[in-house]
Short mmCIF file of all heavy atoms in Angstrom, two decimals:
data_model
loop_
_atom_site.label_atom_id
_atom_site.label_comp_id
_atom_site.label_asym_id
_atom_site.label_seq_id
_atom_site.Cartn_x
_atom_site.Cartn_y
_atom_site.Cartn_z
N PRO A 788 80.98 19.64 -21.83
CA PRO A 788 81.70 19.57 -23.13
C PRO A 788 81.81 18.16 -23.59
O PRO A 788 81.79 17.87 -24.84
CB PRO A 788 83.11 20.10 -22.88
CG PRO A 788 83.09 20.77 -21.43
CD PRO A 788 81.83 20.28 -20.76
N LEU A 789 81.94 17.29 -22.53
CA LEU A 789 81.92 15.86 -22.90
C LEU A 789 80.74 15.28 -23.65
O LEU A 789 80.75 14.76 -24.78
CB LEU A 789 82.19 15.02 -21.68
CG LEU A 789 82.64 13.52 -21.77
CD1 LEU A 789 83.58 13.30 -20.58
CD2 LEU A 789 81.46 12.69 -21.70
N ALA A 790 79.54 15.80 -23.16
CA ALA A 790 78.33 15.34 -23.92
C ALA A 790 78.21 15.93 -25.31
O ALA A 790 77.80 15.26 -26.25
CB ALA A 790 77.04 15.94 -23.02
N VAL A 791 78.75 17.29 -25.47
CA VAL A 791 78.65 17.88 -26.70
C VAL A 791 79.56 17.10 -27.74
O VAL A 791 79.15 16.74 -28.75
CB VAL A 791 79.22 19.30 -26.59
CG1 VAL A 791 79.34 20.00 -27.96
CG2 VAL A 791 78.09 20.20 -25.74
N ASP A 792 80.77 16.92 -27.16
CA ASP A 792 81.68 16.10 -28.24
C ASP A 792 81.22 14.76 -28.48
O ASP A 792 81.29 14.28 -29.68
CB ASP A 792 83.08 16.00 -27.49
CG ASP A 792 83.68 17.35 -27.30
OD1 ASP A 792 83.41 18.19 -28.09
OD2 ASP A 792 84.66 17.54 -26.50
N ALA A 793 80.63 14.07 -27.51
CA ALA A 793 80.15 12.75 -27.68
C ALA A 793 78.92 12.82 -28.86
O ALA A 793 79.05 12.00 -29.66
CB ALA A 793 79.41 11.98 -26.50
N VAL A 794 78.08 13.70 -28.61
CA VAL A 794 76.96 13.72 -29.59
C VAL A 794 77.43 14.13 -31.11
O VAL A 794 76.96 13.56 -32.05
CB VAL A 794 75.86 14.69 -29.20
CG1 VAL A 794 74.69 14.81 -30.21
CG2 VAL A 794 75.15 13.97 -27.98
N LEU A 795 78.29 15.31 -31.08
CA LEU A 795 78.74 15.70 -32.33
C LEU A 795 79.53 14.53 -32.99
O LEU A 795 79.55 14.59 -34.37
CB LEU A 795 79.48 17.01 -32.21
CG LEU A 795 78.65 18.14 -31.77
CD1 LEU A 795 79.58 19.39 -31.77
CD2 LEU A 795 77.48 18.38 -32.59
N SER A 796 80.10 13.82 -32.31
CA SER A 796 81.06 12.84 -33.03
C SER A 796 80.24 11.67 -33.68
O SER A 796 80.77 10.95 -34.51
CB SER A 796 82.18 12.17 -32.08
OG SER A 796 81.40 11.42 -31.14
N VAL A 797 79.06 11.54 -33.26
CA VAL A 797 78.22 10.60 -33.95
C VAL A 797 77.24 11.07 -34.90
O VAL A 797 76.50 10.37 -35.55
CB VAL A 797 77.48 9.68 -32.90
CG1 VAL A 797 78.40 9.04 -31.92
CG2 VAL A 797 76.37 10.41 -32.09
N VAL A 798 77.23 12.38 -35.26
CA VAL A 798 76.34 12.98 -36.31
C VAL A 798 76.93 12.52 -37.55
O VAL A 798 78.13 12.83 -37.76
CB VAL A 798 76.40 14.51 -36.02
CG1 VAL A 798 75.47 15.04 -37.25
CG2 VAL A 798 75.67 15.00 -34.76
N ASP A 799 76.11 12.03 -38.40
CA ASP A 799 76.54 11.64 -39.70
C ASP A 799 76.37 12.83 -40.60
O ASP A 799 75.18 13.22 -40.77
CB ASP A 799 75.60 10.49 -40.09
CG ASP A 799 75.96 9.89 -41.45
OD1 ASP A 799 76.84 10.52 -42.09
OD2 ASP A 799 75.63 8.76 -41.85
N PRO A 800 77.38 13.16 -41.53
CA PRO A 800 77.19 14.53 -42.24
C PRO A 800 76.22 14.25 -43.34
O PRO A 800 75.50 15.19 -43.84
CB PRO A 800 78.55 14.63 -42.93
CG PRO A 800 79.51 13.68 -41.98
CD PRO A 800 78.72 12.74 -41.32
N ALA A 801 75.99 13.03 -43.74
CA ALA A 801 75.00 12.68 -44.73
C ALA A 801 73.55 12.90 -44.05
O ALA A 801 72.62 13.25 -44.91
CB ALA A 801 75.06 11.27 -45.15
N LYS A 802 73.34 12.61 -42.88
CA LYS A 802 72.02 12.98 -42.25
C LYS A 802 72.19 13.80 -41.03
O LYS A 802 72.18 13.54 -39.91
CB LYS A 802 71.50 11.68 -41.75
CG LYS A 802 71.02 10.75 -42.88
CD LYS A 802 70.42 9.40 -42.33
CE LYS A 802 71.35 8.14 -42.72
NZ LYS A 802 71.31 7.05 -41.78
N PRO A 803 72.52 15.12 -41.25
CA PRO A 803 72.88 16.05 -40.30
C PRO A 803 71.91 16.24 -39.18
O PRO A 803 72.18 16.81 -38.15
CB PRO A 803 73.32 17.18 -41.00
CG PRO A 803 72.66 17.29 -42.18
CD PRO A 803 72.42 15.78 -42.68
N ASP A 804 70.61 15.98 -39.39
CA ASP A 804 69.60 16.26 -38.40
C ASP A 804 69.23 15.06 -37.38
O ASP A 804 68.52 15.24 -36.55
CB ASP A 804 68.31 16.55 -39.14
CG ASP A 804 68.41 17.83 -39.85
OD1 ASP A 804 69.30 18.66 -39.62
OD2 ASP A 804 67.53 18.15 -40.75
N LEU A 805 69.94 13.97 -37.79
CA LEU A 805 69.59 12.76 -36.91
C LEU A 805 70.64 12.34 -36.04
O LEU A 805 71.81 12.33 -36.48
CB LEU A 805 69.07 11.62 -37.79
CG LEU A 805 67.79 11.87 -38.63
CD1 LEU A 805 67.69 10.55 -39.36
CD2 LEU A 805 66.75 11.77 -37.55
N VAL A 806 70.44 12.14 -34.81
CA VAL A 806 71.33 11.57 -33.94
C VAL A 806 70.69 10.42 -33.27
O VAL A 806 69.53 10.43 -32.78
CB VAL A 806 71.84 12.52 -32.83
CG1 VAL A 806 72.67 11.94 -31.84
CG2 VAL A 806 72.26 13.72 -33.31
N ASP A 807 71.42 9.22 -33.32
CA ASP A 807 70.92 8.08 -32.65
C ASP A 807 71.71 7.89 -31.28
O ASP A 807 72.82 7.60 -31.52
CB ASP A 807 71.07 6.74 -33.56
CG ASP A 807 70.38 5.63 -32.96
OD1 ASP A 807 70.00 5.68 -31.69
OD2 ASP A 807 70.12 4.54 -33.59
N LEU A 808 71.19 8.13 -30.15
CA LEU A 808 71.91 8.07 -28.93
C LEU A 808 72.32 6.69 -28.73
O LEU A 808 73.18 6.45 -27.73
CB LEU A 808 71.25 8.61 -27.82
CG LEU A 808 71.14 10.20 -27.74
CD1 LEU A 808 70.64 10.79 -26.53
CD2 LEU A 808 72.56 10.86 -27.99
N ARG A 809 71.91 5.73 -29.42
CA ARG A 809 72.47 4.30 -29.16
C ARG A 809 73.80 4.19 -29.74
O ARG A 809 74.61 3.26 -29.31
CB ARG A 809 71.52 3.34 -29.92
CG ARG A 809 70.32 2.98 -29.17
CD ARG A 809 69.47 2.13 -30.12
NE ARG A 809 69.17 2.70 -31.33
CZ ARG A 809 68.22 2.18 -32.26
NH1 ARG A 809 67.73 0.96 -32.03
NH2 ARG A 809 68.00 2.80 -33.29
N ASP A 810 74.38 5.19 -30.45
CA ASP A 810 75.68 5.29 -30.81
C ASP A 810 76.55 5.82 -29.87
O ASP A 810 77.87 5.83 -30.09
CB ASP A 810 75.75 6.11 -32.22
CG ASP A 810 75.17 5.42 -33.34
OD1 ASP A 810 74.96 4.10 -33.25
OD2 ASP A 810 74.73 6.18 -34.38
N VAL A 811 75.98 6.32 -28.77
CA VAL A 811 76.91 6.82 -27.67
C VAL A 811 76.72 5.70 -26.61
O VAL A 811 75.64 5.61 -26.11
CB VAL A 811 76.53 8.15 -27.14
CG1 VAL A 811 77.41 8.55 -26.03
CG2 VAL A 811 76.61 9.10 -28.34
N LYS A 812 77.73 4.98 -26.30
CA LYS A 812 77.68 3.93 -25.14
C LYS A 812 78.20 4.52 -23.90
O LYS A 812 79.23 5.04 -23.90
CB LYS A 812 78.39 2.63 -25.69
CG LYS A 812 78.21 1.60 -24.74
CD LYS A 812 78.81 0.34 -25.31
CE LYS A 812 78.87 -0.73 -24.32
NZ LYS A 812 79.96 -1.51 -24.56
N ILE A 813 77.44 4.28 -22.82
CA ILE A 813 78.01 4.65 -21.60
C ILE A 813 78.31 3.49 -20.67
O ILE A 813 77.61 2.57 -20.60
CB ILE A 813 76.89 5.51 -20.86
CG1 ILE A 813 76.46 6.76 -21.58
CG2 ILE A 813 77.36 5.86 -19.34
CD1 ILE A 813 75.54 7.68 -20.84
N VAL A 814 79.64 3.44 -20.50
CA VAL A 814 80.23 2.31 -19.72
C VAL A 814 80.39 2.82 -18.26
O VAL A 814 81.12 3.75 -18.11
CB VAL A 814 81.39 1.77 -20.24
CG1 VAL A 814 81.95 0.57 -19.44
CG2 VAL A 814 81.21 1.24 -21.58
#
Side-chain angles (χ1 to χ4, degrees):
L789 194 145
V791 171
D792 293 340
V794 173
L795 292 188
S796 68
V797 300
V798 177
D799 186 347
K802 290 179 241 153
D804 294 340
L805 286 179
V806 178
D807 188 346
L808 283 188
R809 280 176 300 183
D810 291 337
V811 179
K812 189 173 163 206
I813 300 184
V814 178

